[in-house]
Amino acid sequence: MLQDTQTIRYYQRLTDALVEMWNRGYRFDDLRLFLDGYLAALRQTSALEPFHIHRLEEEVSRYIYDPSNFEMTQTQTQPKSDYY
């Protein structure tokens, strides 16, 4: 569980971006590449402590591989009423 406020903000940004990318047609391999690049940038800039980056990676990886986070909601259409 994440407890550092800055790490939680990065987690929220990452998960929002991942869902948006999924809705635009990107798939798991693309999402994983995006996550790897994002984490590399965090490491390079020293924006977070290495321990927090590692925890962030674990949590977001768990988020990516949970299929319920990327289910497409099906809109229900109104059944056609038969007037005959």
Side-chain angles (χ1 to χ4, degrees):
M1 177 192 276
L2 301 174
Q3 296 180 357
D4 178 53
T5 57
Q6 191 66 25
T7 308
I8 293 170
R9 287 187 188 120
Y10 282 118
Y11 176 82
Q12 290 172 333
R13 288 179 192 160
L14 262 170
T15 55
D16 289 346
L18 292 171
V19 169
E20 185 175 333
M21 289 174 67
W22 178 266
N23 290 335
R24 283 195 262 152
Y26 293 92
R27 292 299 167 238
F28 288 111
D29 292 338
D30 302 319
L31 300 180
R32 187 65 204 188
L33 285 173
F34 176 78
L35 174 61
D36 290 343
Y38 196 94
L39 294 171
L42 285 177
R43 286 184 182 101
Q44 185 68 29
T45 60
S46 300
L48 291 173
E49 294 292 323
F51 172 76
H52 292 299
I53 294 173
H54 180 69
R55 290 292 301 146
L56 179 65
E57 181 176 16
E58 287 177 350
E59 293 296 324
V60 175
S61 294
R62 187 175 298 130
Y63 182 87
I64 285 177
Y65 293 115
D66 182 5
S68 66
N69 293 320
F70 299 102
E71 289 178 352
M72 300 293 266
T73 57
Q74 298 292 330
T75 57
Q76 292 186 350
T77 58
Q78 294 283 336
K80 291 185 178 182
S81 50
D82 194 6
Y83 291 108
Y84 296 107

